[in-house]
């Protein structure tokens, strides 16, 4: 069974769709592996060090 996105992951996924970006593109801009970004979106990793950068790239609240 596939893991579900966290509420934060769902918000990031929606922003990626709105901006026409992929997770791979976002991961490249963050300087992390796409698999690590996936772990953040699914709640397996906190991704604390990337949240501010994700927020600035996608224009989202870094806390939510």
């Amino acid at each position: 069974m596939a893991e579900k996105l966290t509420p934060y992951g769902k918000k990031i996924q929606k922003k990626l769709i709105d901006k026409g970006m992929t997770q791979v593109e976002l991961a490249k801009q963050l300087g992390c592996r796409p698999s690590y970004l996936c772990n953040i979106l699914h709640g397996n990793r906190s991704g604390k060090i990337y949240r501010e950068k994700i927020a600035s790239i996608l224009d989202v609240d870094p806390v939510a």
Side-chain angles (χ1 to χ4, degrees):
M1 186 165 85
E3 294 180 62
K4 296 200 185 241
L5 292 172
T6 63
Y8 177 75
K10 288 178 184 173
K11 181 188 291 191
I12 297 306
Q13 194 67 44
K14 182 178 181 331
K15 277 291 191 175
L16 285 171
I17 292 166
D18 291 347
K19 292 187 175 278
M21 282 180 73
T22 66
Q23 286 185 25
V24 173
E25 290 168 329
L26 177 58
K28 193 175 283 187
Q29 287 188 39
L30 293 172
C32 72
R33 291 176 181 249
S35 59
Y36 188 81
L37 177 59
C38 189
N39 280 325
I40 294 170
L41 301 184
H42 286 93
N44 299 323
R45 298 278 182 189
S46 72
K48 264 191 288 195
I49 61 172
Y50 295 109
R51 291 218 176 195
E52 287 291 330
K53 197 165 183 183
I54 291 170
S56 68
I57 293 169
L58 296 180
D59 190 31
V60 295
D61 183 354
V63 180

CSV table of all heavy atoms in Angstrom, one decimal:
chain,number,residue,atom,x,y,z
A,1,MET,N,0.8,-1.2,0.0
A,1,MET,CA,0.0,0.0,0.0
A,1,MET,C,0.9,1.2,0.0
A,1,MET,O,1.9,1.3,0.7
A,1,MET,CB,-0.9,0.0,1.2
A,1,MET,CG,-1.9,1.1,1.2
A,1,MET,SD,-3.2,0.9,2.4
A,1,MET,CE,-2.5,1.5,3.9
A,2,ALA,N,0.5,2.2,-0.8
A,2,ALA,CA,1.3,3.4,-0.9
A,2,ALA,C,1.1,4.3,0.3
A,2,ALA,O,0.1,4.3,0.9
A,2,ALA,CB,0.9,4.2,-2.2
A,3,GLU,N,2.2,5.0,0.7
A,3,GLU,CA,2.1,5.9,1.8
A,3,GLU,C,1.4,7.1,1.4
A,3,GLU,O,1.4,7.5,0.3
A,3,GLU,CB,3.5,6.3,2.3
A,3,GLU,CG,4.4,5.2,2.8
A,3,GLU,CD,5.7,5.6,3.2
A,3,GLU,OE1,5.8,6.5,4.1
A,3,GLU,OE2,6.7,5.2,2.6
A,4,LYS,N,0.7,7.7,2.4
A,4,LYS,CA,-0.1,8.9,2.2
A,4,LYS,C,0.8,10.1,2.5
A,4,LYS,O,1.6,10.1,3.3
A,4,LYS,CB,-1.3,8.9,3.0
A,4,LYS,CG,-2.3,7.8,2.7
A,4,LYS,CD,-3.6,8.1,3.2
A,4,LYS,CE,-4.5,6.9,3.0
A,4,LYS,NZ,-5.6,7.1,2.2
A,5,LEU,N,0.5,11.2,1.7
A,5,LEU,CA,1.2,12.5,2.0
A,5,LEU,C,0.6,13.1,3.3
A,5,LEU,O,-0.5,12.9,3.6
A,5,LEU,CB,0.9,13.4,0.8
A,5,LEU,CG,1.5,13.2,-0.5
A,5,LEU,CD1,0.9,14.1,-1.6
A,5,LEU,CD2,3.0,13.2,-0.5
A,6,THR,N,1.5,13.7,4.0
A,6,THR,CA,1.1,14.5,5.1
A,6,THR,C,0.4,15.7,4.7
A,6,THR,O,0.4,16.1,3.5
A,6,THR,CB,2.4,14.9,5.9
A,6,THR,OG1,3.1,15.8,5.1
A,6,THR,CG2,3.2,13.7,6.4
A,7,PRO,N,-0.3,16.4,5.6
A,7,PRO,CA,-0.9,17.7,5.2
A,7,PRO,C,0.1,18.7,4.6
A,7,PRO,O,-0.2,19.3,3.6
A,7,PRO,CB,-1.5,18.2,6.5
A,7,PRO,CG,-1.8,17.0,7.3
A,7,PRO,CD,-0.7,16.0,7.0
A,8,TYR,N,1.3,18.7,5.1
A,8,TYR,CA,2.3,19.6,4.5
A,8,TYR,C,2.7,19.1,3.1
A,8,TYR,O,2.8,19.8,2.2
A,8,TYR,CB,3.6,19.5,5.4
A,8,TYR,CG,4.7,20.3,4.9
A,8,TYR,CD1,4.8,21.7,4.9
A,8,TYR,CD2,5.8,19.6,4.3
A,8,TYR,CE1,5.8,22.4,4.4
A,8,TYR,CE2,6.9,20.3,3.8
A,8,TYR,CZ,6.9,21.7,3.9
A,8,TYR,OH,8.0,22.4,3.3
A,9,GLY,N,2.8,17.7,3.0
A,9,GLY,CA,3.1,17.2,1.7
A,9,GLY,C,2.1,17.5,0.6
A,9,GLY,O,2.4,17.8,-0.5
A,10,LYS,N,0.8,17.4,1.1
A,10,LYS,CA,-0.3,17.7,0.1
A,10,LYS,C,-0.2,19.2,-0.3
A,10,LYS,O,-0.5,19.5,-1.5
A,10,LYS,CB,-1.7,17.5,0.8
A,10,LYS,CG,-2.0,16.0,1.0
A,10,LYS,CD,-3.3,15.8,1.7
A,10,LYS,CE,-3.5,14.3,1.9
A,10,LYS,NZ,-4.7,14.0,2.7
A,11,LYS,N,0.1,20.1,0.6
A,11,LYS,CA,0.2,21.5,0.3
A,11,LYS,C,1.4,21.7,-0.7
A,11,LYS,O,1.2,22.4,-1.7
A,11,LYS,CB,0.5,22.3,1.6
A,11,LYS,CG,0.6,23.8,1.3
A,11,LYS,CD,1.1,24.6,2.5
A,11,LYS,CE,0.0,24.6,3.6
A,11,LYS,NZ,0.3,25.5,4.6
A,12,ILE,N,2.5,21.1,-0.5
A,12,ILE,CA,3.6,21.2,-1.4
A,12,ILE,C,3.3,20.6,-2.8
A,12,ILE,O,3.6,21.2,-3.8
A,12,ILE,CB,4.9,20.5,-0.8
A,12,ILE,CG1,5.3,21.2,0.5
A,12,ILE,CG2,6.0,20.5,-1.8
A,12,ILE,CD1,5.5,22.7,0.5
A,13,GLN,N,2.6,19.5,-2.8
A,13,GLN,CA,2.2,18.8,-4.0
A,13,GLN,C,1.3,19.8,-4.8
A,13,GLN,O,1.5,19.9,-6.0
A,13,GLN,CB,1.5,17.5,-3.7
A,13,GLN,CG,1.4,16.6,-5.0
A,13,GLN,CD,2.7,16.1,-5.4
A,13,GLN,OE1,3.6,15.7,-4.7
A,13,GLN,NE2,2.9,16.2,-6.7
A,14,LYS,N,0.4,20.4,-4.2
A,14,LYS,CA,-0.6,21.3,-4.8
A,14,LYS,C,0.2,22.5,-5.4
A,14,LYS,O,0.0,22.9,-6.5
A,14,LYS,CB,-1.7,21.8,-3.9
A,14,LYS,CG,-2.7,22.7,-4.6
A,14,LYS,CD,-3.8,23.1,-3.6
A,14,LYS,CE,-4.8,24.0,-4.3
A,14,LYS,NZ,-4.4,24.9,-5.4
A,15,LYS,N,1.1,23.1,-4.6
A,15,LYS,CA,1.9,24.2,-5.1
A,15,LYS,C,2.8,23.8,-6.3
A,15,LYS,O,2.9,24.6,-7.2
A,15,LYS,CB,2.8,24.8,-4.0
A,15,LYS,CG,2.1,25.7,-3.1
A,15,LYS,CD,1.8,27.0,-3.8
A,15,LYS,CE,1.3,28.1,-2.9
A,15,LYS,NZ,1.1,29.3,-3.6
A,16,LEU,N,3.3,22.6,-6.3
A,16,LEU,CA,4.1,22.1,-7.4
A,16,LEU,C,3.3,22.1,-8.7
A,16,LEU,O,3.7,22.5,-9.8
A,16,LEU,CB,4.7,20.7,-7.1
A,16,LEU,CG,5.9,20.7,-6.2
A,16,LEU,CD1,6.2,19.2,-5.8
A,16,LEU,CD2,7.1,21.4,-6.7
A,17,ILE,N,2.1,21.5,-8.5
A,17,ILE,CA,1.1,21.5,-9.7
A,17,ILE,C,0.8,22.9,-10.2
A,17,ILE,O,0.8,23.1,-11.4
A,17,ILE,CB,-0.1,20.7,-9.3
A,17,ILE,CG1,0.2,19.2,-9.1
A,17,ILE,CG2,-1.2,20.8,-10.4
A,17,ILE,CD1,-0.8,18.4,-8.4
A,18,ASP,N,0.5,23.8,-9.2
A,18,ASP,CA,0.1,25.1,-9.6
A,18,ASP,C,1.2,25.8,-10.4
A,18,ASP,O,1.0,26.6,-11.3
A,18,ASP,CB,-0.2,26.0,-8.3
A,18,ASP,CG,-1.5,25.6,-7.7
A,18,ASP,OD1,-2.3,24.8,-8.3
A,18,ASP,OD2,-1.7,26.0,-6.5
A,19,LYS,N,2.5,25.5,-10.0
A,19,LYS,CA,3.6,26.1,-10.6
A,19,LYS,C,4.2,25.3,-11.8
A,19,LYS,O,5.2,25.7,-12.5
A,19,LYS,CB,4.8,26.4,-9.6
A,19,LYS,CG,4.4,27.4,-8.6
A,19,LYS,CD,5.6,27.8,-7.7
A,19,LYS,CE,5.3,28.9,-6.8
A,19,LYS,NZ,5.4,30.2,-7.4
A,20,GLY,N,3.6,24.2,-12.1
A,20,GLY,CA,4.0,23.4,-13.2
A,20,GLY,C,5.4,22.8,-13.0
A,20,GLY,O,6.2,22.6,-13.9
A,21,MET,N,5.7,22.5,-11.7
A,21,MET,CA,7.0,21.9,-11.4
A,21,MET,C,6.9,20.5,-10.9
A,21,MET,O,5.8,20.1,-10.5
A,21,MET,CB,7.6,22.7,-10.1
A,21,MET,CG,8.3,24.0,-10.4
A,21,MET,SD,8.9,24.7,-8.9
A,21,MET,CE,10.3,23.7,-8.6
A,22,THR,N,7.9,19.7,-11.0
A,22,THR,CA,7.9,18.3,-10.5
A,22,THR,C,8.7,18.3,-9.2
A,22,THR,O,9.5,19.2,-8.9
A,22,THR,CB,8.6,17.4,-11.5
A,22,THR,OG1,10.0,17.7,-11.6
A,22,THR,CG2,8.0,17.4,-12.9
A,23,GLN,N,8.5,17.2,-8.5
A,23,GLN,CA,9.3,17.0,-7.3
A,23,GLN,C,10.8,16.9,-7.6
A,23,GLN,O,11.6,17.4,-6.8
A,23,GLN,CB,8.9,15.7,-6.6
A,23,GLN,CG,7.6,15.8,-5.9
A,23,GLN,CD,7.2,14.5,-5.1
A,23,GLN,OE1,8.1,13.8,-4.7
A,23,GLN,NE2,5.9,14.3,-4.9
A,24,VAL,N,11.1,16.3,-8.7
A,24,VAL,CA,12.6,16.2,-9.1
A,24,VAL,C,13.1,17.6,-9.3
A,24,VAL,O,14.3,17.9,-8.9
A,24,VAL,CB,12.7,15.4,-10.4
A,24,VAL,CG1,14.1,15.4,-10.9
A,24,VAL,CG2,12.3,14.0,-10.2
A,25,GLU,N,12.4,18.5,-10.0
A,25,GLU,CA,12.9,19.9,-10.2
A,25,GLU,C,13.1,20.6,-8.8
A,25,GLU,O,14.0,21.3,-8.6
A,25,GLU,CB,11.9,20.7,-11.1
A,25,GLU,CG,11.9,20.2,-12.5
A,25,GLU,CD,10.8,20.8,-13.3
A,25,GLU,OE1,9.7,21.0,-12.8
A,25,GLU,OE2,11.0,21.0,-14.5
A,26,LEU,N,12.1,20.4,-7.9
A,26,LEU,CA,12.2,21.1,-6.6
A,26,LEU,C,13.4,20.5,-5.9
A,26,LEU,O,14.2,21.3,-5.3
A,26,LEU,CB,10.9,20.8,-5.8
A,26,LEU,CG,10.9,21.4,-4.4
A,26,LEU,CD1,11.2,22.9,-4.4
A,26,LEU,CD2,9.6,21.1,-3.7
A,27,ALA,N,13.6,19.2,-5.9
A,27,ALA,CA,14.7,18.6,-5.2
A,27,ALA,C,16.0,19.1,-5.7
A,27,ALA,O,17.0,19.4,-5.0
A,27,ALA,CB,14.7,17.1,-5.4
A,28,LYS,N,16.1,19.3,-7.1
A,28,LYS,CA,17.3,19.9,-7.7
A,28,LYS,C,17.6,21.3,-7.2
A,28,LYS,O,18.7,21.6,-6.8
A,28,LYS,CB,17.2,19.9,-9.2
A,28,LYS,CG,18.5,20.1,-9.9
A,28,LYS,CD,18.3,20.0,-11.4
A,28,LYS,CE,18.2,18.5,-11.8
A,28,LYS,NZ,18.2,18.3,-13.2
A,29,GLN,N,16.6,22.1,-7.1
A,29,GLN,CA,16.7,23.5,-6.6
A,29,GLN,C,17.1,23.5,-5.1
A,29,GLN,O,17.8,24.4,-4.6
A,29,GLN,CB,15.4,24.3,-6.8
A,29,GLN,CG,15.2,24.7,-8.2
A,29,GLN,CD,14.0,25.6,-8.3
A,29,GLN,OE1,13.9,26.5,-7.5
A,29,GLN,NE2,13.3,25.4,-9.4
A,30,LEU,N,16.6,22.5,-4.3
A,30,LEU,CA,17.0,22.4,-2.9
A,30,LEU,C,18.3,21.8,-2.7
A,30,LEU,O,18.9,22.0,-1.6
A,30,LEU,CB,15.9,21.5,-2.2
A,30,LEU,CG,14.5,22.0,-2.1
A,30,LEU,CD1,13.6,20.9,-1.6
A,30,LEU,CD2,14.4,23.2,-1.3
A,31,GLY,N,18.9,21.1,-3.7
A,31,GLY,CA,20.2,20.4,-3.5
A,31,GLY,C,20.0,19.1,-2.7
A,31,GLY,O,21.0,18.7,-2.0
A,32,CYS,N,18.9,18.5,-2.8
A,32,CYS,CA,18.7,17.2,-2.2
A,32,CYS,C,18.3,16.1,-3.2
A,32,CYS,O,17.9,16.5,-4.3
A,32,CYS,CB,17.7,17.3,-1.0
A,32,CYS,SG,16.0,17.5,-1.5
A,33,ARG,N,18.3,14.9,-2.8
A,33,ARG,CA,17.8,13.8,-3.7
A,33,ARG,C,16.3,13.9,-3.8
A,33,ARG,O,15.6,14.1,-2.8
A,33,ARG,CB,18.2,12.5,-3.2
A,33,ARG,CG,19.7,12.3,-3.3
A,33,ARG,CD,20.1,10.9,-2.7
A,33,ARG,NE,21.5,10.8,-2.8
A,33,ARG,CZ,22.1,9.9,-3.6
A,33,ARG,NH1,21.4,9.0,-4.3
A,33,ARG,NH2,23.4,9.8,-3.6
A,34,PRO,N,15.7,13.5,-4.9
A,34,PRO,CA,14.2,13.4,-5.0
A,34,PRO,C,13.6,12.5,-4.0
A,34,PRO,O,12.6,12.7,-3.5
A,34,PRO,CB,14.0,12.9,-6.5
A,34,PRO,CG,15.2,13.4,-7.2
A,34,PRO,CD,16.3,13.3,-6.2
A,35,SER,N,14.3,11.4,-3.7
A,35,SER,CA,13.8,10.4,-2.7
A,35,SER,C,13.8,11.0,-1.3
A,35,SER,O,12.9,10.7,-0.5
A,35,SER,CB,14.7,9.2,-2.7
A,35,SER,OG,16.1,9.5,-2.4
A,36,TYR,N,14.7,11.9,-1.0
A,36,TYR,CA,14.7,12.6,0.3
A,36,TYR,C,13.5,13.5,0.4
A,36,TYR,O,12.8,13.6,1.4
A,36,TYR,CB,16.0,13.3,0.6
A,36,TYR,CG,16.1,13.9,2.0
A,36,TYR,CD1,16.5,13.1,3.0
A,36,TYR,CD2,15.8,15.2,2.3
A,36,TYR,CE1,16.5,13.5,4.3
A,36,TYR,CE2,15.8,15.7,3.6
A,36,TYR,CZ,16.2,14.8,4.6
A,36,TYR,OH,16.3,15.3,5.9
A,37,LEU,N,13.3,14.3,-0.7
A,37,LEU,CA,12.1,15.2,-0.8
A,37,LEU,C,10.8,14.4,-0.6
A,37,LEU,O,9.9,14.8,0.1
A,37,LEU,CB,12.1,16.0,-2.1
A,37,LEU,CG,10.9,16.9,-2.3
A,37,LEU,CD1,10.8,17.9,-1.2
A,37,LEU,CD2,10.9,17.5,-3.6
A,38,CYS,N,10.7,13.2,-1.2
A,38,CYS,CA,9.6,12.3,-1.1
A,38,CYS,C,9.4,11.9,0.4
A,38,CYS,O,8.3,11.9,0.9
A,38,CYS,CB,9.8,11.1,-2.0
A,38,CYS,SG,8.3,10.1,-2.1
A,39,ASN,N,10.5,11.6,1.1
A,39,ASN,CA,10.4,11.3,2.5
A,39,ASN,C,9.9,12.4,3.3
A,39,ASN,O,9.1,12.2,4.3
A,39,ASN,CB,11.8,10.8,3.0
A,39,ASN,CG,12.1,9.4,2.6
A,39,ASN,OD1,11.2,8.5,2.6
A,39,ASN,ND2,13.4,9.1,2.4
A,40,ILE,N,10.2,13.6,3.0
A,40,ILE,CA,9.7,14.8,3.7
A,40,ILE,C,8.2,14.9,3.5
A,40,ILE,O,7.5,15.1,4.4
A,40,ILE,CB,10.4,16.1,3.2
A,40,ILE,CG1,11.9,16.1,3.5
A,40,ILE,CG2,9.7,17.3,3.8
A,40,ILE,CD1,12.7,17.2,2.9
A,41,LEU,N,7.8,14.8,2.2
A,41,LEU,CA,6.4,14.9,1.9
A,41,LEU,C,5.5,13.8,2.5
A,41,LEU,O,4.3,14.0,2.8
A,41,LEU,CB,6.2,15.0,0.4
A,41,LEU,CG,6.9,16.1,-0.3
A,41,LEU,CD1,6.6,16.1,-1.8
A,41,LEU,CD2,6.6,17.5,0.3
A,42,HIS,N,6.1,12.7,2.8
A,42,HIS,CA,5.4,11.6,3.4
A,42,HIS,C,5.6,11.5,4.9
A,42,HIS,O,5.0,10.6,5.5
A,42,HIS,CB,5.8,10.2,2.7
A,42,HIS,CG,5.2,10.1,1.4
A,42,HIS,ND1,5.9,10.4,0.2
A,42,HIS,CD2,4.0,9.6,0.9
A,42,HIS,CE1,5.1,10.2,-0.8
A,42,HIS,NE2,4.0,9.7,-0.4
A,43,GLY,N,6.3,12.4,5.5
A,43,GLY,CA,6.5,12.5,6.9
A,43,GLY,C,7.5,11.6,7.5
A,43,GLY,O,7.6,11.4,8.7
A,44,ASN,N,8.3,10.9,6.6
A,44,ASN,CA,9.4,10.0,7.1
A,44,ASN,C,10.6,10.8,7.6
A,44,ASN,O,11.4,10.3,8.3
A,44,ASN,CB,9.8,9.0,6.0
A,44,ASN,CG,8.6,8.2,5.6
A,44,ASN,OD1,7.8,7.8,6.5
A,44,ASN,ND2,8.5,7.8,4.4
A,45,ARG,N,10.7,12.0,7.1
A,45,ARG,CA,11.8,12.9,7.5
A,45,ARG,C,11.2,14.3,7.8
A,45,ARG,O,10.2,14.7,7.1
A,45,ARG,CB,12.8,13.1,6.3
A,45,ARG,CG,13.5,11.8,5.9
A,45,ARG,CD,14.7,11.6,6.9
A,45,ARG,NE,15.4,10.4,6.4
A,45,ARG,CZ,16.3,9.8,7.2
A,45,ARG,NH1,16.6,10.4,8.3
A,45,ARG,NH2,16.9,8.8,6.8
A,46,SER,N,11.8,15.0,8.7
A,46,SER,CA,11.3,16.3,9.0
A,46,SER,C,11.6,17.4,8.0
A,46,SER,O,10.8,18.3,7.7
A,46,SER,CB,11.8,16.8,10.4
A,46,SER,OG,13.2,17.2,10.3
A,47,GLY,N,12.8,17.3,7.4
A,47,GLY,CA,13.1,18.2,6.3
A,47,GLY,C,13.3,19.6,6.9
A,47,GLY,O,13.2,20.6,6.1
A,48,LYS,N,13.6,19.7,8.2
A,48,LYS,CA,13.7,21.1,8.8
A,48,LYS,C,14.6,22.0,8.1
A,48,LYS,O,14.3,23.2,7.9
A,48,LYS,CB,14.2,20.9,10.2
A,48,LYS,CG,13.1,20.9,11.3
A,48,LYS,CD,13.6,21.1,12.7
A,48,LYS,CE,14.4,19.8,13.1
A,48,LYS,NZ,14.6,19.7,14.5
A,49,ILE,N,15.8,21.5,7.6
A,49,ILE,CA,16.8,22.3,7.0
A,49,ILE,C,16.3,22.8,5.6
A,49,ILE,O,16.9,23.8,5.1
A,49,ILE,CB,18.1,21.7,6.9
A,49,ILE,CG1,18.1,20.4,6.1
A,49,ILE,CG2,18.7,21.4,8.3
A,49,ILE,CD1,19.4,19.8,5.8
A,50,TYR,N,15.3,22.2,5.0
A,50,TYR,CA,14.9,22.6,3.7
A,50,TYR,C,13.6,23.4,3.7
A,50,TYR,O,13.2,24.0,2.7
A,50,TYR,CB,14.6,21.3,2.8
A,50,TYR,CG,15.9,20.6,2.5
A,50,TYR,CD1,16.2,19.4,3.1
A,50,TYR,CD2,16.9,21.1,1.7
A,50,TYR,CE1,17.3,18.7,2.8
A,50,TYR,CE2,18.1,20.5,1.4
A,50,TYR,CZ,18.3,19.2,2.0
A,50,TYR,OH,19.5,18.6,1.7
A,51,ARG,N,12.9,23.4,4.8
A,51,ARG,CA,11.5,24.1,4.9
A,51,ARG,C,11.6,25.5,4.5
A,51,ARG,O,10.7,26.0,3.7
A,51,ARG,CB,10.9,23.9,6.2
A,51,ARG,CG,10.5,22.4,6.4
A,51,ARG,CD,9.2,22.3,7.1
A,51,ARG,NE,8.9,20.8,7.2
A,51,ARG,CZ,7.7,20.4,7.5
A,51,ARG,NH1,6.8,21.3,7.8
A,51,ARG,NH2,7.5,19.1,7.6
A,52,GLU,N,12.5,26.3,4.9
A,52,GLU,CA,12.6,27.7,4.6
A,52,GLU,C,12.8,27.9,3.0
A,52,GLU,O,12.2,28.7,2.4
A,52,GLU,CB,13.7,28.4,5.3
A,52,GLU,CG,13.4,28.7,6.8
A,52,GLU,CD,12.3,29.7,7.0
A,52,GLU,OE1,12.2,30.6,6.2
A,52,GLU,OE2,11.6,29.6,8.0
A,53,LYS,N,13.7,27.0,2.5
A,53,LYS,CA,14.0,27.1,1.1
A,53,LYS,C,12.8,26.7,0.2
A,53,LYS,O,12.5,27.3,-0.8
A,53,LYS,CB,15.2,26.3,0.7
A,53,LYS,CG,15.8,26.6,-0.6
A,53,LYS,CD,17.2,26.1,-0.8
A,53,LYS,CE,17.8,26.5,-2.1
A,53,LYS,NZ,19.1,25.9,-2.3
A,54,ILE,N,12.1,25.6,0.7
A,54,ILE,CA,10.9,25.2,0.0
A,54,ILE,C,9.9,26.3,0.0
A,54,ILE,O,9.2,26.6,-1.0
A,54,ILE,CB,10.3,23.9,0.7
A,54,ILE,CG1,11.2,22.7,0.4
A,54,ILE,CG2,8.9,23.7,0.2
A,54,ILE,CD1,10.8,21.5,1.2
A,55,ALA,N,9.7,27.0,1.2
A,55,ALA,CA,8.8,28.1,1.3
A,55,ALA,C,9.1,29.2,0.4
A,55,ALA,O,8.2,29.8,-0.3
A,55,ALA,CB,8.8,28.6,2.8
A,56,SER,N,10.4,29.5,0.2
A,56,SER,CA,10.7,30.7,-0.7
A,56,SER,C,10.5,30.3,-2.2
A,56,SER,O,10.1,31.1,-3.0
A,56,SER,CB,12.1,31.2,-0.4
A,56,SER,OG,13.1,30.2,-0.8
A,57,ILE,N,10.8,29.0,-2.5
A,57,ILE,CA,10.7,28.6,-3.9
A,57,ILE,C,9.2,28.5,-4.3
A,57,ILE,O,8.8,29.0,-5.4
A,57,ILE,CB,11.4,27.2,-4.1
A,57,ILE,CG1,12.9,27.4,-4.0
A,57,ILE,CG2,11.0,26.7,-5.5
A,57,ILE,CD1,13.6,26.0,-3.9
A,58,LEU,N,8.4,28.0,-3.4
A,58,LEU,CA,7.0,27.7,-3.7
A,58,LEU,C,6.0,28.8,-3.1
A,58,LEU,O,4.8,28.7,-3.4
A,58,LEU,CB,6.6,26.3,-3.2
A,58,LEU,CG,7.3,25.2,-3.9
A,58,LEU,CD1,6.8,23.8,-3.3
A,58,LEU,CD2,7.1,25.2,-5.4
A,59,ASP,N,6.5,29.7,-2.4
A,59,ASP,CA,5.7,30.7,-1.8
A,59,ASP,C,4.6,30.1,-0.9
A,59,ASP,O,3.5,30.3,-1.1
A,59,ASP,CB,5.1,31.7,-2.8
A,59,ASP,CG,4.4,32.9,-2.2
A,59,ASP,OD1,4.9,33.4,-1.2
A,59,ASP,OD2,3.4,33.4,-2.8
A,60,VAL,N,5.1,29.3,0.1
A,60,VAL,CA,4.2,28.7,1.1
A,60,VAL,C,4.7,29.0,2.5
A,60,VAL,O,5.9,29.4,2.7
A,60,VAL,CB,4.1,27.2,0.9
A,60,VAL,CG1,3.4,26.8,-0.4
A,60,VAL,CG2,5.4,26.5,1.1
A,61,ASP,N,3.9,28.8,3.5
A,61,ASP,CA,4.3,28.9,4.9
A,61,ASP,C,5.2,27.8,5.3
A,61,ASP,O,4.9,26.6,5.1
A,61,ASP,CB,3.0,28.9,5.8
A,61,ASP,CG,3.3,29.1,7.2
A,61,ASP,OD1,4.4,29.2,7.6
A,61,ASP,OD2,2.3,29.2,8.0
A,62,PRO,N,6.4,28.1,5.8
A,62,PRO,CA,7.4,27.0,6.1
A,62,PRO,C,7.0,26.1,7.3
A,62,PRO,O,7.4,25.0,7.4
A,62,PRO,CB,8.7,27.8,6.4
A,62,PRO,CG,8.2,29.1,6.8
A,62,PRO,CD,7.0,29.4,6.0
A,63,VAL,N,6.1,26.6,8.1
A,63,VAL,CA,5.7,25.9,9.3
A,63,VAL,C,4.6,24.9,9.0
A,63,VAL,O,4.6,23.8,9.6
A,63,VAL,CB,5.2,26.9,10.4
A,63,VAL,CG1,4.8,26.1,11.7
A,63,VAL,CG2,6.3,27.9,10.7
A,64,ALA,N,3.6,25.2,8.2
A,64,ALA,CA,2.5,24.4,8.0
A,64,ALA,C,2.8,23.1,7.3
A,64,ALA,O,3.8,22.9,6.6
A,64,ALA,CB,1.4,25.1,7.1
